[in-house]
Amino acid sequence: MADKSFFIDTTKCTACRGCQIACKQWNKNPGTKTVQTGSHQNPPDLSFFTFKLVRFSEIETGGDPKWYFFPDQCRHCMEPPCMSTAESLGSKAIARNEATGAVVFNPKIKVKPADLKSIRESCPYDIPRWDERMGVMAKCTMCSDRVKEGMPPACVKACPTGTMNFGDRKDMLERANKRLEEVKKVYKDAMLANPEDVRAIYLLVDDPKKYHKFAVAENTFGITRKMALKRLFQPLSNLRHVIG
Ligand code: SF4
Ligand code: SF4
């Protein structure tokens, strides 16, 4: 099986939330109790039971409201900072699926609250979530169980507009770059979000911050400043674990 990737073309997204519901159903995640907060975005954030969330921003531009839809999920980073942090803390809770490249949280391995905090802070996209009662983490799995059987992830299968795409990484990168060229003819600021660093490649047509605070990584190396400092000052005992 080849290295896989998503291509998420936000220019086609209608915020129908079919992907969000399909993700819940396939992963047998319960619905999240929520209230109307005045936004189409619901529930308000990702959680231990919500791996996919269609973010919704309404921004005023010269008196006219403009809508930005962002189907948020784990980016399955090429060099995942969450996994490096977990390893540096001596935890095997995060692993990579060598066949697809998916970054997977092991639901059976418990993590301490302080370790969860470090892992979450190391993620440039603010993805990892934790269940306090069980002490384990959860996020998008890239539907590894479906992909292994030759099926696309549930969110891709459910998307009616062609926003969600999935396939061999080389094909997805080609498709993303081709679509970027087309879209740039109309939207000069169009861009792909960190395409070389992630396996969930987003096409955006405006300032990423208008979509979501964590739409793109703050630096392009896939490692946060906090994490770099942490690595620099980590105790020798942790370093020994990394080395041996
Ligand atoms: S997006 Fe965050 S949780 Fe997902 S692989 Fe990258 S660092 Fe890990
Ligand atoms: S299913 Fe497709 S169109 Fe609907 S919200 Fe998700 S990505 Fe957007």
Side-chain angles (χ1 to χ4, degrees):
M1 199 185 293
D3 198 4
K4 301 288 183 190
S5 283
F6 294 87
F7 166 46
I8 304 174
D9 182 351
T10 65
T11 66
K12 296 184 177 174
C13 182
T14 59
C16 71
R17 291 196 290 230
C19 54
Q20 191 175 309
I21 304 298
C23 177
K24 281 254 177 199
Q25 282 184 331
W26 184 258
N27 290 292
K28 297 191 172 61
N29 278 336
T32 310
K33 199 169 180 186
T34 183
V35 291
Q36 174 56 264
T37 57
S39 165
H40 183 75
Q41 183 176 312
N42 209 349
D45 201 4
L46 293 170
S47 73
F48 183 76
F49 293 122
T50 304
F51 304 164
K52 178 102 186 166
L53 176 72
V54 182
R55 296 193 183 274
F56 176 89
S57 310
E58 184 173 312
I59 294 183
E60 290 266 328
T61 44
D64 292 329
K66 207 168 167 189
W67 291 345
Y68 294 85
F69 305 145
F70 188 79
D72 198 9
Q73 62 167 80
C74 170
R75 313 299 196 274
H76 296 280
C77 301
M78 305 300 287
E79 300 294 336
C82 59
M83 193 166 91
S84 306
T85 302
E87 284 173 354
S88 75
L89 295 166
S91 169
K92 294 194 170 127
I94 306 178
R96 198 200 313 259
N97 179 321
E98 292 306 329
T100 60
V103 178
V104 184
F105 288 2
N106 188 325
K108 292 186 184 144
I109 299 187
K110 296 196 176 204
V111 287
K112 292 180 256 170
D115 291 357
L116 176 272
K117 192 167 177 283
S118 301
I119 290 167
R120 183 165 171 183
E121 281 176 357
S122 74
C123 171
Y125 307 102
D126 191 35
I127 298 297
R129 295 295 190 272
W130 191 64
D131 180 274
E132 207 172 313
R133 198 172 44 86
M134 294 189 284
V136 294
M137 299 182 298
K139 65 161 189 67
C140 162
T141 64
M142 201 191 263
C143 283
S144 294
D145 48 352
R146 292 177 57 91
V147 173
K148 194 172 66 178
E149 300 299 328
M151 295 186 286
C155 57
V156 175
K157 177 79 178 162
C159 178
T161 63
T163 304
M164 296 298 307
N165 303 275
F166 183 80
D168 291 350
R169 178 166 176 78
K170 187 172 155 288
D171 296 343
M172 288 300 108
L173 273 169
E174 264 174 35
R175 198 188 291 191
N177 280 306
K178 193 161 170 252
R179 179 74 180 141
L180 175 65
E181 265 177 48
E182 281 169 22
V183 169
K184 262 193 173 284
K185 289 176 196 156
V186 181
Y187 300 97
K188 65 175 176 38
D189 295 329
M191 61 173 288
L192 299 176
N194 308 115
E196 301 305 327
D197 298 334
V198 296
R199 288 190 179 82
I201 305 158
Y202 286 82
L203 170 62
L204 311 172
V205 297
D206 205 340
D207 177 359
K209 292 275 182 276
K210 289 184 180 167
Y211 291 81
H212 173 44
K213 185 176 170 199
F214 298 101
V216 295
E218 286 197 345
N219 67 54
T220 52
F221 302 108
I223 174 172
T224 61
R225 191 175 145 271
K226 247 184 194 164
M227 188 186 166
L229 288 171
K230 195 175 181 74
R231 277 190 188 170
L232 203 59
F233 295 111
Q234 69 183 279
L236 274 176
S237 55
N238 284 348
L239 277 175
R240 270 200 295 279
H241 172 84
V242 174
I243 295 162

